[in-house]
Amino acid sequence: MARYELVKRSVALITLTNPPVNALSSAVRHAMAKSMEQALNDPKVTAVVICGENGRFCGGADIREFAGPLRGPPLVPLLDAIEAGEKPVVAAIEGVALGGGFELALVCHYCIAHFKARLGLPEVTLGILPAAGGTQRLPRLIGIPAALELITTGRHISAQEALKLGIVDQVTEQNACEVAVEFALRAVAKPLSSRRVSMLTTPCPPDLDALLEVVTMEVKKKARGVMAPLACIQAVRAAATMPYSKGIKRESELMATLFNSGQARALQYCFFAQRTAGKWTLPSGAQWNNSKPREIRSAAIIGLGTMGRGIVVSLARAGISVIAVESEKKLLETGKQMVIGMLERDAKRRGVSASLNLLKFTLSLQDLKDVDLVIEAVFEDMALKKRVFQELSKVCRPATLLCTNTSGLDVDALAGVTDRPHLVVGMHFFSPAHVMKLLEVVCGPRSSSETIATAMSLGKRMGKVSVAVGNCPGFVGNRMLKPYLDQATFLLEEGATPEQIDKALEDFGFAMGVFRMSDLAGLDVGWRIRKESGLTGPDVDPKNPPRRRHGRRYCPIPDMVCEQGRFGQKTGRGWYMYDKPGGTNAKPDPLIQNLLEMYRSRYAIQPRNISDKEIIERCLFALANEGFRILEDGIAARPEDIDVIYLFGYGFPRHRGGPMFYASMVGLERVLERLEHYHQAHPDVPHLEPSPLLKKLVACGSPSVQTWREHIKTMHSHL
Ligand SMILES: CCCCCCC/C=C/C(=O)SCCNC(=O)CCNC(=O)[C@H](O)C(C)(C)COP(=O)(O)OP(=O)(O)OC[C@H]1O[C@@H](n2cnc3c(N)ncnc32)[C@H](O)[C@@H]1OP(=O)(O)O
């Protein structure tokens, strides 16, 4: 767990050996304590270098250990002892120094960093704070404003930035460990007192309170209801106003309030869920670690609408040659200009040059004959998509992968019109595709494991969080959205307003409530889909009661809003009103209020006061209930996959963990009881009927979300 060697006759080289990231597990802490004691007691040793095996200094405390009782030597006294030692200690940082790893570097008297290394205190993203002295030492070293920014955001910085901030002493392009050993030899006998960061006085700005107030307001605005950044600010205040010995106690008290909180558990769950999602597995036994992806050097995108443009940008940014196809010259030219503009702005922001040389724009599908992969992003119309896939079958070489960016249509039906159904897969990007991190990789029943592996790996290359899902209408994300949206509109009928529902959801943690989000996305898309599926418009049987379809409750209010030409932000009117078309400042609209009142009186609905609790329960429990059905149906393999989709694709608040984790935190028994209650009150809403899997899990004693998989005996997994 830590290797001890004597090098150059007098330097103790301590190497952390806990792959893959040399996390500070109890065994590592134990080994480190022993090695440091040996180094400090050995008269031959004049200096110490600490490094990490395999080019990674240290990824911080072992997050897996947070779930159980703390074992092994605590980190703070261990780090304090390193700093207080009489022999110079040099950190040799390669790869990463994160969290406890960064805090370890802060107690070393000197730091050498490889030029590619990244440093940071990401604890806040795990719902905790840098509680191994990080909140006390960093402000002393770099000042309050810079420390506050790093600690409250968890941002990683480059070695060069760390050098500028005074965190590291030297950046090298050579082997950091070798450079550190030479550095250590030169440091022998130099006084250490000024190198002990905890002994420094924090440089304190005169307007400390005002500064802390501003940062507090920013944090509250950015992460509503999230506890950890606020605790970080309090800990940094302690560094400015207390001696180290008291500040470190304050840090520890604040950590104690966070450590066992639901938010910390949720955020740590998210960390692992994201990594679990990459480990897809199929019933055939094919999985992430035994299926080789194909190398993709060139790709083509069909359709340069909003989605297509975003996908082209994502591919070009990943260094892949892209041919973009449109059906008309004018559309092609508009799309081209927009893509170039997007890439140029993006490159400017990142300080790199735009990869415009990778792009080709064409009106001819014939140009696609040699590409490795095609992503179709045409209008959401099955007949049109089928024509495109038939055409692609004829044009592309037999080995080309054919992918569709449909947001919910049958991927297998598209595969069926091609000459290569095994090479067809869904790649469902989220809008705007060059910004949103989520990619649903939709596995059709005939998609080969190599095809799935290639789509997953391409997603990763584009910087996406890819989740493999099965093929059903709406896949995972959009399928679950329906019961959520339905509940929101039913609540409108019953007496709530869009602003009340949005506020309840935003107080819960969503960046935007459901109606503000719908206005942003555009209301016409859903309206068109409802018309096409016969739920509204001229095709509806007039004998149908206005608020029922197929024997279920149906709310026609969204259709009525669209009938008035209110399509959301783009038309300046939707569930809210905006200053102008394209405006973003949502204001409650009295016309919507009138519409709701008239609607209720027309159907003799007596409006009632609806509590925020009911809004949250009905919207979110209906959402999770559909998630349970998705697990039962084998459309998602694990609850983690569903949660990752909601975190990265639908703005579900990370500190709540995702809909499935949230249900487990509320308590499955309670979720079941509330769904039964609401279903009894609304028997014509099948989405409120508790799913058999939820009932089963409750009957099994509500096991932890990580073990639900063992209880899902899906007969026909779609994965
Ligand atoms: C009261 C007691 C506490 C006292 C101490 C409190 C102060 C200290 C707190 C901390 O240090 S909290 C941890 C802070 N560190 C982090 O948040 C870093 C987390 N890791 C990462 O960001 C990345 O993993 C990485 C280090 C940048 C590497 O990224 P890469 O993409 O190369 O690999 P991954 O797939 O992400 O990870 C590989 C593998 O390693 C697991 N892992 C990573 N970091 C940790 C960790 N800190 N603890 C435990 N496990 C870690 C990760 O889960 C992967 O494993 P699998 O999940 O795939 O099995």
Side-chain angles (χ1 to χ4, degrees), residues 490-521:
F490 294 158
L491 285 160
L492 284 185
E493 291 184 315
E494 292 166 38
T497 60
E499 6 344 330
Q500 186 199 355
I501 296 172
D502 280 354
K503 181 167 182 320
L505 291 167
E506 285 161 18
D507 286 348
F508 177 81
F510 280 95
M512 269 190 206
V514 55
F515 293 106
R516 284 217 295 144
M517 179 51 87
S518 303
D519 271 0
L520 173 67

PDB file of all heavy atoms in Angstrom, residues 490-521:
ATOM      1  N   PHE A 490     -52.131  17.477 -14.536  1.00  0.00           N
ATOM      2  CA  PHE A 490     -53.301  17.120 -13.719  1.00  0.00           C
ATOM      3  C   PHE A 490     -53.401  18.064 -12.521  1.00  0.00           C
ATOM      4  O   PHE A 490     -54.481  18.470 -12.106  1.00  0.00           O
ATOM      5  CB  PHE A 490     -53.210  15.667 -13.222  1.00  0.00           C
ATOM      6  CG  PHE A 490     -53.276  14.632 -14.335  1.00  0.00           C
ATOM      7  CD1 PHE A 490     -52.772  13.358 -14.139  1.00  0.00           C
ATOM      8  CD2 PHE A 490     -53.838  14.933 -15.564  1.00  0.00           C
ATOM      9  CE1 PHE A 490     -52.814  12.396 -15.145  1.00  0.00           C
ATOM     10  CE2 PHE A 490     -53.884  13.985 -16.592  1.00  0.00           C
ATOM     11  CZ  PHE A 490     -53.368  12.713 -16.377  1.00  0.00           C
ATOM     12  N   LEU A 491     -52.237  18.404 -11.966  1.00  0.00           N
ATOM     13  CA  LEU A 491     -52.229  19.310 -10.807  1.00  0.00           C
ATOM     14  C   LEU A 491     -52.749  20.700 -11.212  1.00  0.00           C
ATOM     15  O   LEU A 491     -53.419  21.373 -10.423  1.00  0.00           O
ATOM     16  CB  LEU A 491     -50.819  19.413 -10.224  1.00  0.00           C
ATOM     17  CG  LEU A 491     -50.380  18.166  -9.424  1.00  0.00           C
ATOM     18  CD1 LEU A 491     -48.856  18.101  -9.296  1.00  0.00           C
ATOM     19  CD2 LEU A 491     -51.024  18.150  -8.038  1.00  0.00           C
ATOM     20  N   LEU A 492     -52.466  21.100 -12.456  1.00  0.00           N
ATOM     21  CA  LEU A 492     -53.018  22.374 -12.949  1.00  0.00           C
ATOM     22  C   LEU A 492     -54.544  22.310 -12.955  1.00  0.00           C
ATOM     23  O   LEU A 492     -55.220  23.241 -12.528  1.00  0.00           O
ATOM     24  CB  LEU A 492     -52.567  22.639 -14.384  1.00  0.00           C
ATOM     25  CG  LEU A 492     -51.154  23.107 -14.679  1.00  0.00           C
ATOM     26  CD1 LEU A 492     -51.028  23.406 -16.173  1.00  0.00           C
ATOM     27  CD2 LEU A 492     -50.808  24.351 -13.880  1.00  0.00           C
ATOM     28  N   GLU A 493     -55.058  21.206 -13.479  1.00  0.00           N
ATOM     29  CA  GLU A 493     -56.522  21.059 -13.528  1.00  0.00           C
ATOM     30  C   GLU A 493     -57.120  21.189 -12.138  1.00  0.00           C
ATOM     31  O   GLU A 493     -58.135  21.815 -11.933  1.00  0.00           O
ATOM     32  CB  GLU A 493     -56.898  19.667 -14.061  1.00  0.00           C
ATOM     33  CG  GLU A 493     -56.596  19.435 -15.518  1.00  0.00           C
ATOM     34  CD  GLU A 493     -57.077  18.069 -15.988  1.00  0.00           C
ATOM     35  OE1 GLU A 493     -56.833  17.075 -15.264  1.00  0.00           O
ATOM     36  OE2 GLU A 493     -57.691  17.991 -17.073  1.00  0.00           O
ATOM     37  N   GLU A 494     -56.417  20.605 -11.164  1.00  0.00           N
ATOM     38  CA  GLU A 494     -56.989  20.490  -9.817  1.00  0.00           C
ATOM     39  C   GLU A 494     -56.864  21.767  -8.997  1.00  0.00           C
ATOM     40  O   GLU A 494     -57.402  21.855  -7.901  1.00  0.00           O
ATOM     41  CB  GLU A 494     -56.320  19.312  -9.091  1.00  0.00           C
ATOM     42  CG  GLU A 494     -56.699  17.974  -9.704  1.00  0.00           C
ATOM     43  CD  GLU A 494     -55.798  16.832  -9.243  1.00  0.00           C
ATOM     44  OE1 GLU A 494     -55.416  16.819  -8.050  1.00  0.00           O
ATOM     45  OE2 GLU A 494     -55.473  15.966 -10.076  1.00  0.00           O
ATOM     46  N   GLY A 495     -56.078  22.745  -9.488  1.00  0.00           N
ATOM     47  CA  GLY A 495     -56.036  24.018  -8.745  1.00  0.00           C
ATOM     48  C   GLY A 495     -54.668  24.670  -8.656  1.00  0.00           C
ATOM     49  O   GLY A 495     -54.560  25.807  -8.186  1.00  0.00           O
ATOM     50  N   ALA A 496     -53.606  23.988  -9.081  1.00  0.00           N
ATOM     51  CA  ALA A 496     -52.270  24.606  -8.980  1.00  0.00           C
ATOM     52  C   ALA A 496     -52.021  25.535 -10.170  1.00  0.00           C
ATOM     53  O   ALA A 496     -52.757  25.508 -11.162  1.00  0.00           O
ATOM     54  CB  ALA A 496     -51.210  23.516  -8.941  1.00  0.00           C
ATOM     55  N   THR A 497     -51.001  26.351 -10.065  1.00  0.00           N
ATOM     56  CA  THR A 497     -50.597  27.202 -11.189  1.00  0.00           C
ATOM     57  C   THR A 497     -49.228  26.724 -11.676  1.00  0.00           C
ATOM     58  O   THR A 497     -48.495  26.076 -10.916  1.00  0.00           O
ATOM     59  CB  THR A 497     -50.448  28.670 -10.745  1.00  0.00           C
ATOM     60  OG1 THR A 497     -49.441  28.724  -9.724  1.00  0.00           O
ATOM     61  CG2 THR A 497     -51.743  29.240 -10.227  1.00  0.00           C
ATOM     62  N   PRO A 498     -48.852  27.102 -12.929  1.00  0.00           N
ATOM     63  CA  PRO A 498     -47.519  26.705 -13.403  1.00  0.00           C
ATOM     64  C   PRO A 498     -46.437  27.221 -12.471  1.00  0.00           C
ATOM     65  O   PRO A 498     -45.471  26.502 -12.173  1.00  0.00           O
ATOM     66  CB  PRO A 498     -47.411  27.358 -14.782  1.00  0.00           C
ATOM     67  CG  PRO A 498     -48.808  27.596 -15.216  1.00  0.00           C
ATOM     68  CD  PRO A 498     -49.624  27.801 -13.979  1.00  0.00           C
ATOM     69  N   GLU A 499     -46.596  28.472 -11.976  1.00  0.00           N
ATOM     70  CA  GLU A 499     -45.525  29.022 -11.141  1.00  0.00           C
ATOM     71  C   GLU A 499     -45.420  28.279  -9.804  1.00  0.00           C
ATOM     72  O   GLU A 499     -44.328  28.061  -9.296  1.00  0.00           O
ATOM     73  CB  GLU A 499     -45.614  30.490 -10.866  1.00  0.00           C
ATOM     74  CG  GLU A 499     -46.622  31.471 -11.178  1.00  0.00           C
ATOM     75  CD  GLU A 499     -47.744  31.363 -12.148  1.00  0.00           C
ATOM     76  OE1 GLU A 499     -47.636  30.668 -13.160  1.00  0.00           O
ATOM     77  OE2 GLU A 499     -48.753  32.017 -11.872  1.00  0.00           O
ATOM     78  N   GLN A 500     -46.568  27.838  -9.271  1.00  0.00           N
ATOM     79  CA  GLN A 500     -46.512  27.108  -7.987  1.00  0.00           C
ATOM     80  C   GLN A 500     -45.813  25.752  -8.176  1.00  0.00           C
ATOM     81  O   GLN A 500     -44.961  25.365  -7.363  1.00  0.00           O
ATOM     82  CB  GLN A 500     -47.936  26.893  -7.466  1.00  0.00           C
ATOM     83  CG  GLN A 500     -47.969  26.278  -6.094  1.00  0.00           C
ATOM     84  CD  GLN A 500     -49.307  25.636  -5.746  1.00  0.00           C
ATOM     85  OE1 GLN A 500     -50.271  25.736  -6.512  1.00  0.00           O
ATOM     86  NE2 GLN A 500     -49.353  24.976  -4.600  1.00  0.00           N
ATOM     87  N   ILE A 501     -46.153  25.075  -9.249  1.00  0.00           N
ATOM     88  CA  ILE A 501     -45.546  23.760  -9.492  1.00  0.00           C
ATOM     89  C   ILE A 501     -44.052  23.923  -9.752  1.00  0.00           C
ATOM     90  O   ILE A 501     -43.213  23.206  -9.192  1.00  0.00           O
ATOM     91  CB  ILE A 501     -46.250  23.050 -10.668  1.00  0.00           C
ATOM     92  CG1 ILE A 501     -47.701  22.775 -10.270  1.00  0.00           C
ATOM     93  CG2 ILE A 501     -45.529  21.764 -11.057  1.00  0.00           C
ATOM     94  CD1 ILE A 501     -48.584  22.252 -11.382  1.00  0.00           C
ATOM     95  N   ASP A 502     -43.709  24.922 -10.573  1.00  0.00           N
ATOM     96  CA  ASP A 502     -42.288  25.149 -10.867  1.00  0.00           C
ATOM     97  C   ASP A 502     -41.518  25.499  -9.598  1.00  0.00           C
ATOM     98  O   ASP A 502     -40.407  25.024  -9.387  1.00  0.00           O
ATOM     99  CB  ASP A 502     -42.130  26.278 -11.900  1.00  0.00           C
ATOM    100  CG  ASP A 502     -42.378  25.771 -13.313  1.00  0.00           C
ATOM    101  OD1 ASP A 502     -42.554  24.549 -13.471  1.00  0.00           O
ATOM    102  OD2 ASP A 502     -42.379  26.582 -14.242  1.00  0.00           O
ATOM    103  N   LYS A 503     -42.121  26.328  -8.756  1.00  0.00           N
ATOM    104  CA  LYS A 503     -41.400  26.737  -7.541  1.00  0.00           C
ATOM    105  C   LYS A 503     -41.147  25.521  -6.644  1.00  0.00           C
ATOM    106  O   LYS A 503     -40.047  25.352  -6.104  1.00  0.00           O
ATOM    107  CB  LYS A 503     -42.179  27.812  -6.778  1.00  0.00           C
ATOM    108  CG  LYS A 503     -41.436  28.256  -5.533  1.00  0.00           C
ATOM    109  CD  LYS A 503     -41.991  29.510  -4.928  1.00  0.00           C
ATOM    110  CE  LYS A 503     -41.203  29.959  -3.700  1.00  0.00           C
ATOM    111  NZ  LYS A 503     -40.750  28.937  -2.796  1.00  0.00           N
ATOM    112  N   ALA A 504     -42.150  24.659  -6.514  1.00  0.00           N
ATOM    113  CA  ALA A 504     -41.963  23.466  -5.673  1.00  0.00           C
ATOM    114  C   ALA A 504     -40.818  22.608  -6.215  1.00  0.00           C
ATOM    115  O   ALA A 504     -39.966  22.117  -5.458  1.00  0.00           O
ATOM    116  CB  ALA A 504     -43.252  22.658  -5.615  1.00  0.00           C
ATOM    117  N   LEU A 505     -40.767  22.461  -7.537  1.00  0.00           N
ATOM    118  CA  LEU A 505     -39.716  21.624  -8.134  1.00  0.00           C
ATOM    119  C   LEU A 505     -38.354  22.312  -8.041  1.00  0.00           C
ATOM    120  O   LEU A 505     -37.330  21.658  -7.831  1.00  0.00           O
ATOM    121  CB  LEU A 505     -40.060  21.304  -9.598  1.00  0.00           C
ATOM    122  CG  LEU A 505     -41.270  20.367  -9.764  1.00  0.00           C
ATOM    123  CD1 LEU A 505     -41.764  20.347 -11.208  1.00  0.00           C
ATOM    124  CD2 LEU A 505     -40.934  18.935  -9.321  1.00  0.00           C
ATOM    125  N   GLU A 506     -38.357  23.641  -8.192  1.00  0.00           N
ATOM    126  CA  GLU A 506     -37.072  24.364  -8.101  1.00  0.00           C
ATOM    127  C   GLU A 506     -36.584  24.375  -6.650  1.00  0.00           C
ATOM    128  O   GLU A 506     -35.387  24.258  -6.384  1.00  0.00           O
ATOM    129  CB  GLU A 506     -37.221  25.773  -8.680  1.00  0.00           C
ATOM    130  CG  GLU A 506     -37.277  25.717 -10.215  1.00  0.00           C
ATOM    131  CD  GLU A 506     -37.866  26.954 -10.874  1.00  0.00           C
ATOM    132  OE1 GLU A 506     -37.936  28.013 -10.223  1.00  0.00           O
ATOM    133  OE2 GLU A 506     -38.274  26.857 -12.060  1.00  0.00           O
ATOM    134  N   ASP A 507     -37.497  24.480  -5.700  1.00  0.00           N
ATOM    135  CA  ASP A 507     -37.080  24.387  -4.287  1.00  0.00           C
ATOM    136  C   ASP A 507     -36.536  22.986  -3.982  1.00  0.00           C
ATOM    137  O   ASP A 507     -35.663  22.819  -3.142  1.00  0.00           O
ATOM    138  CB  ASP A 507     -38.254  24.692  -3.343  1.00  0.00           C
ATOM    139  CG  ASP A 507     -38.571  26.182  -3.324  1.00  0.00           C
ATOM    140  OD1 ASP A 507     -37.759  26.974  -3.843  1.00  0.00           O
ATOM    141  OD2 ASP A 507     -39.644  26.554  -2.802  1.00  0.00           O
ATOM    142  N   PHE A 508     -37.064  21.999  -4.676  1.00  0.00           N
ATOM    143  CA  PHE A 508     -36.554  20.633  -4.507  1.00  0.00           C
ATOM    144  C   PHE A 508     -35.121  20.530  -5.026  1.00  0.00           C
ATOM    145  O   PHE A 508     -34.321  19.736  -4.553  1.00  0.00           O
ATOM    146  CB  PHE A 508     -37.466  19.663  -5.275  1.00  0.00           C
ATOM    147  CG  PHE A 508     -37.030  18.234  -5.252  1.00  0.00           C
ATOM    148  CD1 PHE A 508     -37.314  17.417  -4.165  1.00  0.00           C
ATOM    149  CD2 PHE A 508     -36.316  17.687  -6.323  1.00  0.00           C
ATOM    150  CE1 PHE A 508     -36.897  16.086  -4.149  1.00  0.00           C
ATOM    151  CE2 PHE A 508     -35.896  16.368  -6.308  1.00  0.00           C
ATOM    152  CZ  PHE A 508     -36.192  15.559  -5.218  1.00  0.00           C
ATOM    153  N   GLY A 509     -34.806  21.379  -6.015  1.00  0.00           N
ATOM    154  CA  GLY A 509     -33.427  21.393  -6.524  1.00  0.00           C
ATOM    155  C   GLY A 509     -33.289  21.424  -8.030  1.00  0.00           C
ATOM    156  O   GLY A 509     -32.192  21.598  -8.542  1.00  0.00           O
ATOM    157  N   PHE A 510     -34.402  21.227  -8.755  1.00  0.00           N
ATOM    158  CA  PHE A 510     -34.305  21.315 -10.216  1.00  0.00           C
ATOM    159  C   PHE A 510     -33.913  22.734 -10.610  1.00  0.00           C
ATOM    160  O   PHE A 510     -34.405  23.703 -10.006  1.00  0.00           O
ATOM    161  CB  PHE A 510     -35.659  21.001 -10.873  1.00  0.00           C
ATOM    162  CG  PHE A 510     -35.968  19.541 -10.985  1.00  0.00           C
ATOM    163  CD1 PHE A 510     -36.738  18.901 -10.016  1.00  0.00           C
ATOM    164  CD2 PHE A 510     -35.497  18.788 -12.048  1.00  0.00           C
ATOM    165  CE1 PHE A 510     -37.039  17.550 -10.109  1.00  0.00           C
ATOM    166  CE2 PHE A 510     -35.786  17.444 -12.157  1.00  0.00           C
ATOM    167  CZ  PHE A 510     -36.551  16.822 -11.186  1.00  0.00           C
ATOM    168  N   ALA A 511     -33.053  22.836 -11.627  1.00  0.00           N
ATOM    169  CA  ALA A 511     -32.660  24.175 -12.089  1.00  0.00           C
ATOM    170  C   ALA A 511     -33.881  24.887 -12.658  1.00  0.00           C
ATOM    171  O   ALA A 511     -34.008  26.102 -12.542  1.00  0.00           O
ATOM    172  CB  ALA A 511     -31.573  24.059 -13.145  1.00  0.00           C
ATOM    173  N   MET A 512     -34.774  24.143 -13.261  1.00  0.00           N
ATOM    174  CA  MET A 512     -36.000  24.717 -13.834  1.00  0.00           C
ATOM    175  C   MET A 512     -37.159  23.795 -13.561  1.00  0.00           C
ATOM    176  O   MET A 512     -37.029  22.576 -13.713  1.00  0.00           O
ATOM    177  CB  MET A 512     -35.870  24.813 -15.359  1.00  0.00           C
ATOM    178  CG  MET A 512     -35.317  26.085 -15.857  1.00  0.00           C
ATOM    179  SD  MET A 512     -35.521  26.088 -17.635  1.00  0.00           S
ATOM    180  CE  MET A 512     -34.184  27.166 -18.029  1.00  0.00           C
ATOM    181  N   GLY A 513     -38.293  24.406 -13.216  1.00  0.00           N
ATOM    182  CA  GLY A 513     -39.487  23.593 -13.042  1.00  0.00           C
ATOM    183  C   GLY A 513     -39.965  23.092 -14.392  1.00  0.00           C
ATOM    184  O   GLY A 513     -39.473  23.512 -15.447  1.00  0.00           O
ATOM    185  N   VAL A 514     -40.972  22.217 -14.344  1.00  0.00           N
ATOM    186  CA  VAL A 514     -41.388  21.519 -15.551  1.00  0.00           C
ATOM    187  C   VAL A 514     -41.963  22.473 -16.606  1.00  0.00           C
ATOM    188  O   VAL A 514     -41.745  22.291 -17.813  1.00  0.00           O
ATOM    189  CB  VAL A 514     -42.366  20.382 -15.169  1.00  0.00           C
ATOM    190  CG1 VAL A 514     -43.551  20.877 -14.377  1.00  0.00           C
ATOM    191  CG2 VAL A 514     -42.842  19.615 -16.350  1.00  0.00           C
ATOM    192  N   PHE A 515     -42.665  23.525 -16.174  1.00  0.00           N
ATOM    193  CA  PHE A 515     -43.280  24.406 -17.175  1.00  0.00           C
ATOM    194  C   PHE A 515     -42.253  25.361 -17.776  1.00  0.00           C
ATOM    195  O   PHE A 515     -42.278  25.634 -18.968  1.00  0.00           O
ATOM    196  CB  PHE A 515     -44.466  25.165 -16.547  1.00  0.00           C
ATOM    197  CG  PHE A 515     -45.586  24.230 -16.187  1.00  0.00           C
ATOM    198  CD1 PHE A 515     -45.847  23.887 -14.863  1.00  0.00           C
ATOM    199  CD2 PHE A 515     -46.353  23.637 -17.183  1.00  0.00           C
ATOM    200  CE1 PHE A 515     -46.858  22.999 -14.539  1.00  0.00           C
ATOM    201  CE2 PHE A 515     -47.371  22.742 -16.867  1.00  0.00           C
ATOM    202  CZ  PHE A 515     -47.621  22.420 -15.536  1.00  0.00           C
ATOM    203  N   ARG A 516     -41.355  25.857 -16.950  1.00  0.00           N
ATOM    204  CA  ARG A 516     -40.288  26.718 -17.499  1.00  0.00           C
ATOM    205  C   ARG A 516     -39.427  25.908 -18.480  1.00  0.00           C
ATOM    206  O   ARG A 516     -39.022  26.393 -19.519  1.00  0.00           O
ATOM    207  CB  ARG A 516     -39.418  27.283 -16.369  1.00  0.00           C
ATOM    208  CG  ARG A 516     -40.123  28.404 -15.626  1.00  0.00           C
ATOM    209  CD  ARG A 516     -39.205  29.525 -15.195  1.00  0.00           C
ATOM    210  NE  ARG A 516     -38.224  29.122 -14.220  1.00  0.00           N
ATOM    211  CZ  ARG A 516     -36.997  29.589 -14.197  1.00  0.00           C
ATOM    212  NH1 ARG A 516     -36.593  30.447 -15.130  1.00  0.00           N
ATOM    213  NH2 ARG A 516     -36.160  29.216 -13.251  1.00  0.00           N
ATOM    214  N   MET A 517     -39.169  24.658 -18.090  1.00  0.00           N
ATOM    215  CA  MET A 517     -38.362  23.785 -18.950  1.00  0.00           C
ATOM    216  C   MET A 517     -39.096  23.521 -20.269  1.00  0.00           C
ATOM    217  O   MET A 517     -38.492  23.570 -21.347  1.00  0.00           O
ATOM    218  CB  MET A 517     -38.092  22.470 -18.201  1.00  0.00           C
ATOM    219  CG  MET A 517     -37.290  21.461 -18.954  1.00  0.00           C
ATOM    220  SD  MET A 517     -35.782  22.137 -19.621  1.00  0.00           S
ATOM    221  CE  MET A 517     -34.680  21.920 -18.289  1.00  0.00           C
ATOM    222  N   SER A 518     -40.418  23.282 -20.194  1.00  0.00           N
ATOM    223  CA  SER A 518     -41.176  23.013 -21.420  1.00  0.00           C
ATOM    224  C   SER A 518     -41.165  24.242 -22.320  1.00  0.00           C
ATOM    225  O   SER A 518     -41.051  24.122 -23.547  1.00  0.00           O
ATOM    226  CB  SER A 518     -42.627  22.663 -21.093  1.00  0.00           C
ATOM    227  OG  SER A 518     -42.673  21.573 -20.224  1.00  0.00           O
ATOM    228  N   ASP A 519     -41.286  25.436 -21.734  1.00  0.00           N
ATOM    229  CA  ASP A 519     -41.231  26.661 -22.539  1.00  0.00           C
ATOM    230  C   ASP A 519     -39.891  26.782 -23.251  1.00  0.00           C
ATOM    231  O   ASP A 519     -39.811  27.227 -24.390  1.00  0.00           O
ATOM    232  CB  ASP A 519     -41.428  27.906 -21.639  1.00  0.00           C
ATOM    233  CG  ASP A 519     -42.910  28.265 -21.491  1.00  0.00           C
ATOM    234  OD1 ASP A 519     -43.747  27.566 -22.079  1.00  0.00           O
ATOM    235  OD2 ASP A 519     -43.200  29.252 -20.787  1.00  0.00           O
ATOM    236  N   LEU A 520     -38.833  26.378 -22.552  1.00  0.00           N
ATOM    237  CA  LEU A 520     -37.497  26.454 -23.153  1.00  0.00           C
ATOM    238  C   LEU A 520     -37.374  25.447 -24.308  1.00  0.00           C
ATOM    239  O   LEU A 520     -36.884  25.764 -25.395  1.00  0.00           O
ATOM    240  CB  LEU A 520     -36.432  26.172 -22.084  1.00  0.00           C
ATOM    241  CG  LEU A 520     -34.992  26.043 -22.565  1.00  0.00           C
ATOM    242  CD1 LEU A 520     -34.488  27.389 -23.077  1.00  0.00           C
ATOM    243  CD2 LEU A 520     -34.078  25.571 -21.438  1.00  0.00           C
ATOM    244  N   ALA A 521     -37.886  24.238 -24.076  1.00  0.00           N
ATOM    245  CA  ALA A 521     -37.743  23.179 -25.092  1.00  0.00           C
ATOM    246  C   ALA A 521     -38.662  23.418 -26.282  1.00  0.00           C
ATOM    247  O   ALA A 521     -38.357  23.000 -27.404  1.00  0.00           O
ATOM    248  CB  ALA A 521     -38.039  21.826 -24.460  1.00  0.00           C
TER     249      ALA A 521
END
